[in-house]
């Protein structure tokens, strides 16, 4: 008996010794999968507890707890200045009291912010949150028709603007006055009639804390923000972001391994969901410090990281490439950055970034502002946006379905149901709309909200969110982003809606019709804007006038850099403009017989695209 027990114990010890090796071979990502599931479950439980409190515990309450715990801890570093948690709290109290008195703001009001990346953005938003107001975050690059549209669709009755952006507001001021909208500028006064200065009122306001009763009716499903997304068609749409969604996005830092001791570098726009929700709100959730910059600077990036002891950076694909394109230095690895959170980086740039700047954990993710499904790469595998795991799929059901690129619609079988994509095959990502994974939609746009809903997918009556993105899942259960579908492409980290650009192009005197699409350029992430246009009868193409119009009405990233003149535009059987062939053909003058033009930023006009210019663009000598 003793001998038998000895044999069994020996076998057990042997099995335990070889088990880790066997598991590493058969399930190489098991430990990482389990750790991620536990992290995600812990954060999910926290959110459920917040929702079940007698009074909902919002991200603002999280900030106020941070103020109580570490009032003197630096919260924001900005251009040599440091603002502690307590400083930001007091400033936000002053903003809230000033706006309460001057603008009469109260719980339930909607306020639009037209501000750049600076500390006042943070305390203005916090101040509005203390009053129970929802906030629309306007892209400070938009102008004219787009700006008016973005402001109008969210139902805001107050607009707060940076002094530097007064000119842009002046263009739409008559329309705002007509709607009896109050406009306040963050300065003492403004030369533009109808825009009131608010800075003096803020300076004179007391900084005492405001009563939580002012926001007593704010619930987890109340609207916290409107964040604008191009989506699939038309002008920017105001995605409704609830307080629950703010919390969920803020957890991304924690799931990525960020702690309260980290310093987070934030150079993405605060009007973006990435910058605001993952960056700013994530720092509140973690209780850490953030370094805020007006905009990204490749030349200053690592110097800033060294100066402020940055440990976590945020990126978009272009950020990585710009950093890799800077001249190599001996101190490239002399920094404390250990985690990078973002999306849109190509595998080759990812590898180059790691080889040059050191062993940084890149947490590539996939998400959409209005979407109900997302992924995060918690492994070290390059080029993926996440992994399939049972818990994630149970709580947030999703699928990849076959998609017809030409018809721009899901493939359905003889019974009228969608067809799941095969393993390794790109498919349209759809997320099941449930109580736990809702799709709230777009403010003031029922039509576009409905277009994002996919019905009768696998059974009669089921309902899914259409992401508009093609993804792929390989045999190891890794998830890869493939491409965008529909009428949107991404350039310089921004979504570009082709229909909006087309509407601007047909304002040009010589252009009759325009079909806008994105084309790939070697060495660049995303797609750059190109347009196939038909000229009005008897008109020649006017490169200078076309440049003037697009410069007046479109932000830089949305302006088509290439134009192709055609005698007619090819249409589908349902009278939609065909883009697939145009995208495939690109802009090579050696292959395309149609006249081609290139937007020369120095000449400020579209000039004939020669083979020499084409070669310069492809080689990277001409900056895009």
């Amino acid at each position: 008996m003793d001998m038998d027990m000895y044999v069994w114990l020996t076998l057990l010890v042997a099995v335990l010794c070889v088990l880790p090796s066997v598991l590493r071979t058969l399930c190489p990502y098991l430990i990482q999968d389990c750790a991620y599931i536990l992290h995600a479950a812990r954060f999910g439980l926290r959110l459920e507890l917040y929702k079940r409190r007698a009074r909902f515990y919002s991200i603002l309450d999280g900030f106020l707890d941070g103020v109580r715990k570490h009032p003197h801890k630096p919260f924001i570093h900005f251009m040599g200045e440091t603002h502690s948690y307590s400083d930001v709290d007091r400033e936000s109290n002053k903003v809230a009291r000033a706006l309460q008195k001057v603008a009469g703001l109260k719980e339930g009001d909607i306020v639009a912010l037209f501000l750049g990346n600076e500390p006042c953005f943070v305390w203005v938003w916090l101040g509005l949150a203390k009053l129970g107001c929802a906030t629309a975050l306007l892209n400070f690059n938009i102008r004219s028709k787009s700006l008016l549209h973005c402001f109008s669709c969210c139902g805001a009755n107050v607009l707060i603007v940076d002094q530097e952006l007064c000119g842009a507001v002046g263009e739409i001021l008559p329309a705002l006055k007509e709607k009896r909208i109050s406009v306040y500028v963050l300065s003492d006064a403004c030369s533009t009639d109808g825009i009131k200065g608010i800075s003096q009122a803020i300076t004179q306001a007391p900084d005492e804390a405001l009563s939580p009763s002012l926001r007593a009716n704010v619930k987890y499903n109340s609207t916290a923000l409107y964040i604008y997304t191009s989506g699939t068609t038309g002008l920017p749409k105001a995605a409704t972001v609830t307080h629950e969604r703010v919390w969920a996005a803020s957890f991304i830092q924690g799931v990525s391994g960020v702690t309260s001791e980290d310093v987070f570098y934030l150079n993405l726009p605060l009007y973006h969901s990435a910058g605001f929700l993952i960056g700013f709100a994530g720092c509140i959730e973690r209780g850490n410090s953030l370094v805020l910059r007006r905009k990204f600077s490749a030349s200053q990036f690592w110097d800033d990281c060294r100066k402020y002891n940055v440990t976590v950076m945020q990126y978009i694909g272009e950020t990585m490439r710009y950093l890799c394109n800077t001249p190599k230095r001996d101190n490239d690895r002399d920094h404390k950055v250990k985690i990078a959170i973002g999306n849109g980086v190509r595998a080759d740039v990812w590898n180059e970034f790691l080889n040059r700047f050191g062993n940084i954990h890149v947490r590539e993710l996939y998400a959409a502002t209005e979407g109900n499904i997302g992924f995060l790469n918690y492994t070290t595998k390059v080029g993926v946006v996440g992994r399939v795991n049972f818990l994630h799929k149970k709580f947030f059901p999703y699928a990849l379905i076959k998609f017809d690129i030409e018809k721009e619609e899901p493939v359905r079988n003889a019974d009228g149901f969608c067809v799941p994509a095969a393993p390794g095959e790109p498919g349209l990502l759809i997320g099941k709309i449930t109580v736990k994974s809702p799709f709230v939609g777009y403010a003031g746009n029922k039509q576009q909200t409905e277009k994002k809903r996919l019905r009768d997918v696998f059974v009669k009556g089921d309902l899914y969110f259409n992401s508009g993105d093609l993804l792929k899942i390989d045999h190891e259960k890794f998830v890869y982003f493939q491409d965008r579908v529909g009428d949107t492409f991404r350039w310089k980290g921004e979504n570009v809606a082709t229909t909006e650009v087309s509407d601007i192009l047909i304002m040009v005197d010589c252009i009759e019709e325009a079909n806008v699409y994105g084309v790939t350029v070697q060495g660049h992430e995303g797609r750059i804007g190109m347009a196939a246009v038909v000229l009005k009868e008897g008109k020649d193409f006017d490169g200078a006038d076309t440049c003037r119009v697009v410069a007046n009405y479109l932000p830089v990233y949305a302006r088509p850099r290439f134009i192709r003149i055609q005698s007619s535009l090819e249409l589908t059987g349902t009278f939609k403009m065909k883009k697939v062939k145009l995208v495939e053909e690109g802009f090579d003058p050696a292959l395309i017989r149609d006249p081609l033009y290139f937007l020369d930023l120095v000449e400020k006009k579209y000039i004939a695209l020669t083979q020499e210019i084409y070669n310069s663009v492809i080689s990277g000598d001409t900056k895009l």
Side-chain angles (χ1 to χ4, degrees):
M1 183 71 177
D2 289 343
M3 180 59 70
D4 287 343
M5 183 171 289
Y6 175 76
V7 170
W8 281 111
L9 283 173
T10 303
L11 285 172
L12 180 61
V13 171
V15 168
L16 290 174
C17 287
V18 299
L19 186 61
S21 179
V22 172
L23 284 175
R24 274 197 300 272
T25 303
L26 298 178
C27 310
Y29 301 100
L30 179 63
I31 294 174
Q32 289 166 297
D33 288 340
C34 291
Y36 173 76
I37 289 169
L38 287 172
H39 273 307
R42 184 163 56 87
F43 284 114
L45 180 61
R46 264 183 60 191
L47 182 52
E48 282 302 310
L49 292 174
Y50 292 163
K51 288 161 62 175
R52 293 182 184 187
R53 287 191 180 189
R55 188 177 72 80
F56 171 63
Y57 185 81
S58 69
I59 198 80
L60 170 62
D61 295 307
F63 170 75
L64 293 174
D65 272 351
V67 174
R68 284 186 281 272
K69 288 176 188 172
H70 37 72
H72 306 300
K73 182 175 182 175
F75 183 35
I76 302 172
H77 299 287
F78 179 77
M79 293 182 67
E81 298 177 355
T82 297
H83 305 275
S84 69
Y85 273 77
S86 180
D87 293 336
V88 173
D89 181 43
R90 287 196 301 271
E91 287 296 333
S92 64
N93 289 339
K94 290 162 75 72
V95 168
R97 292 187 180 280
L99 289 171
Q100 188 182 39
K101 180 180 179 181
V102 175
L105 291 180
K106 61 188 183 307
E107 184 180 59
D109 285 337
I110 302 168
V111 180
L113 299 186
F114 195 40
L115 307 173
N117 270 31
E118 49 191 283
C120 68
F121 189 118
V122 172
W123 50 69
V124 168
W125 182 80
L126 287 168
L128 291 168
K130 288 176 178 180
L131 295 175
C133 297
T135 312
L137 310 181
L138 303 182
N139 180 338
F140 53 70
N141 292 299
I142 57 174
R143 297 291 183 271
S144 192
K145 180 184 175 184
S146 288
L147 178 56
L148 183 60
H149 164 80
C150 288
F151 181 83
S152 301
C153 67
C154 68
N157 48 14
V158 171
L159 173 62
I160 299 174
V161 60
D162 253 339
Q163 189 170 16
E164 296 168 5
L165 295 168
C166 274
V169 175
E171 296 172 15
I172 63 167
L173 200 55
L176 296 178
K177 283 181 177 177
E178 225 174 88
K179 299 181 183 204
R180 313 187 104 181
I181 304 300
S182 300
V183 183
Y184 297 95
V185 62
L186 293 177
S187 68
D188 291 333
C190 181
S191 56
T192 305
D193 183 45
I195 301 180
K196 306 161 195 169
I198 190 76
S199 287
Q200 192 173 356
I202 293 173
T203 303
Q204 294 173 351
D207 63 4
E208 285 86 5
L210 287 89
S211 169
S213 65
L214 294 172
R215 55 184 191 280
N217 296 308
V218 170
K219 311 294 183 190
Y220 70 89
N221 57 356
S222 301
T223 299
L225 302 162
Y226 295 100
I227 297 180
Y228 293 81
T229 171
S230 296
T232 54
T233 58
L235 290 162
K237 299 186 289 292
T240 303
V241 180
T242 63
H243 284 275
E244 179 180 25
R245 178 60 62 87
V246 173
W247 268 125
S250 77
F251 293 147
I252 289 173
Q253 280 196 38
V255 174
S256 298
V258 180
T259 74
S260 61
E261 300 304 309
D262 283 306
V263 179
F264 192 97
Y265 191 80
L266 176 54
N267 52 40
L268 300 183
L270 284 166
Y271 62 74
H272 263 188
S273 52
F276 190 98
L277 298 175
I278 300 174
F280 163 55
C283 286
I284 290 177
E285 190 279 324
R286 292 285 81 191
N288 55 26
S289 304
L290 69 91
V291 178
L292 183 66
R293 275 197 70 99
R294 289 187 189 279
K295 60 182 181 179
F296 172 74
S297 168
S299 61
Q300 292 294 314
F301 184 89
W302 293 113
D303 288 338
D304 277 351
C305 289
R306 284 183 277 270
K307 178 180 178 181
Y308 293 105
N309 294 314
V310 170
T311 55
V312 185
M313 62 174 279
Q314 194 173 18
Y315 70 90
I316 55 173
E318 289 292 309
T319 306
M320 296 282 207
R321 185 174 66 81
Y322 290 149
L323 291 173
C324 289
N325 285 347
T326 56
K328 289 188 177 180
R329 297 180 182 175
D330 293 336
N331 64 346
D332 276 344
R333 291 188 171 216
D334 178 21
H335 60 78
K336 295 182 179 178
V337 177
K338 59 182 181 178
I339 297 172
I341 303 172
N343 68 287
V345 63
R346 293 200 322 260
D348 59 331
V349 175
W350 188 331
N351 276 317
E352 185 183 351
F353 180 81
L354 294 180
N355 289 335
R356 179 169 168 187
F357 298 109
N359 186 26
I360 297 170
H361 297 290
V362 178
R363 298 298 181 233
E364 174 82 357
L365 58 87
Y366 167 85
T369 306
E370 73 277 41
N372 66 348
I373 182 65
F375 300 96
L376 175 72
N377 181 11
Y378 48 85
T379 72
T380 56
K381 189 173 178 69
V382 172
V384 304
V385 298
R387 271 175 65 74
V388 175
N389 73 63
F390 75 92
L391 189 69
H392 184 224
K393 200 161 187 176
K394 179 174 176 59
F395 283 101
F396 306 101
Y398 63 88
L400 299 186
I401 58 174
K402 291 180 182 288
F403 187 81
D404 189 318
I405 297 291
E406 279 290 347
K407 293 180 181 178
E408 294 187 355
E409 61 184 34
V411 174
R412 290 185 181 262
N413 60 24
D415 297 321
F417 297 121
C418 295
V419 181
E425 177 189 17
L428 177 70
L429 174 67
I430 56 173
K432 192 169 187 179
I433 298 173
T434 67
V435 174
K436 294 231 179 270
S437 57
F439 166 58
V440 182
Y442 308 107
N445 200 329
K446 289 182 181 178
Q447 184 182 7
Q448 290 299 334
T449 298
E450 189 55 37
K451 279 178 104 172
K452 279 293 197 179
R453 292 183 175 131
L454 204 55
R455 300 177 185 277
D456 303 331
V457 176
F458 298 120
V459 294
K460 201 75 177 170
D462 64 3
L463 185 63
Y464 281 76
F465 167 75
N466 178 355
S467 72
D469 292 322
L470 297 176
L471 278 74
K472 179 180 76 174
I473 299 172
D474 70 9
H475 67 285
E476 288 187 298
K477 301 297 183 184
F478 281 105
V479 184
Y480 299 77
F481 176 82
Q482 295 290 286
D483 209 350
R484 293 179 179 273
V485 298
D487 294 321
T488 298
F489 59 90
R490 197 164 179 84
W491 180 247
K492 301 288 187 185
E494 299 277 358
N495 286 345
V496 180
T498 57
T499 48
E500 180 185 359
V501 180
S502 296
D503 288 344
I504 298 302
L505 281 173
I506 60 177
M507 292 169 59
V508 179
D509 186 53
C510 63
I511 295 176
E512 180 72 31
E513 292 179 281
N515 184 8
V516 177
Y517 48 97
V519 292
T520 56
V521 184
Q522 184 179 317
H524 292 74
E525 275 83 20
R527 299 174 184 269
I528 194 168
M530 185 167 180
V533 303
V534 175
L535 300 177
K536 290 178 181 175
E537 192 174 345
K539 294 275 189 180
D540 294 321
F541 180 66
D542 187 335
D545 187 50
T546 305
C547 176
R548 181 187 62 78
V549 172
V550 298
N552 282 344
Y553 290 97
L554 293 171
V556 174
Y557 61 79
R559 298 169 194 170
R561 292 303 297 270
F562 305 100
I563 286 184
R564 177 175 178 173
I565 310 296
Q566 294 191 299
S567 56
S568 63
L569 299 180
E570 196 176 359
L571 303 176
T572 66
T574 53
F575 303 101
K576 292 179 181 177
M577 291 179 181
K578 286 192 174 181
K579 300 177 188 284
V580 175
K581 188 179 177 185
L582 291 170
V583 170
E584 289 173 351
E585 290 176 348
F587 56 95
D588 188 349
L591 303 177
I592 298 169
R593 293 187 178 181
D594 295 329
L596 295 171
Y597 291 86
F598 172 67
L599 178 54
D600 190 312
L601 299 178
V602 177
E603 293 282 338
K604 293 186 178 177
K605 66 177 181 180
Y606 285 89
I607 60 174
L609 177 58
T610 63
Q611 194 66 43
E612 183 181 352
I613 294 174
Y614 173 83
N615 292 339
S616 179
V617 169
I618 295 300
S619 67
D621 292 333
T622 295
K623 303 297 180 188
L624 296 176

